Amino acid sequence: MGTKIIWSSDALGQLEDIHFYILFESKSIDIADKVIDAIFNSTEILKSKPEIYKLDNKKKLNDGSFRTYYVYDYMISYQITPDYIQILRVRHTYRKPKNL
């Protein structure tokens, strides 16, 4: 089964905003659902291979636990801890990232 995945409230709120935006722009619940499902499903591999994706180079003082990857045009940021993987944020790649 592997490590537990925990979604931050920020990441869940961002997913909700993404769903609404895609639904509004495309007028298709199927397209909006497909994108959200792909993002959710993409986290499954993290349970067994949390270090599969590259280090988050935007994170200052990254101790190696902060990583990022992409699904469609969305960047998913997460942190590896000894007990779980936390999904921190989901951001469209068009938006400028914050240097943290």
Side-chain angles (χ1 to χ4, degrees), residues 63 65-67 77-81 84-88:
D63 61 0
S65 66
F66 294 92
R67 296 182 176 259
S77 299
Y78 66 98
Q79 182 179 19
I80 303 166
T81 74
Y84 56 88
I85 307 294
Q86 183 166 29
I87 308 301
L88 301 171

Side-chain angles (χ1 to χ4, degrees), residues 26-64:
S26 70
K27 309 290 189 254
S28 170
I29 190 77
D30 291 334
I31 293 171
D33 287 350
K34 178 182 175 183
V35 171
I36 298 306
D37 288 346
I39 292 171
F40 265 116
N41 292 338
S42 74
T43 65
E44 286 300 307
I45 194 167
L46 300 176
K47 291 179 180 178
S48 60
K49 297 179 182 178
E51 295 177 347
I52 190 170
Y53 297 112
K54 68 179 184 165
L55 293 175
D56 185 348
N57 61 3
K58 302 294 182 194
K59 177 76 174 163
K60 292 181 182 174
L61 304 175
N62 187 346
D63 61 0

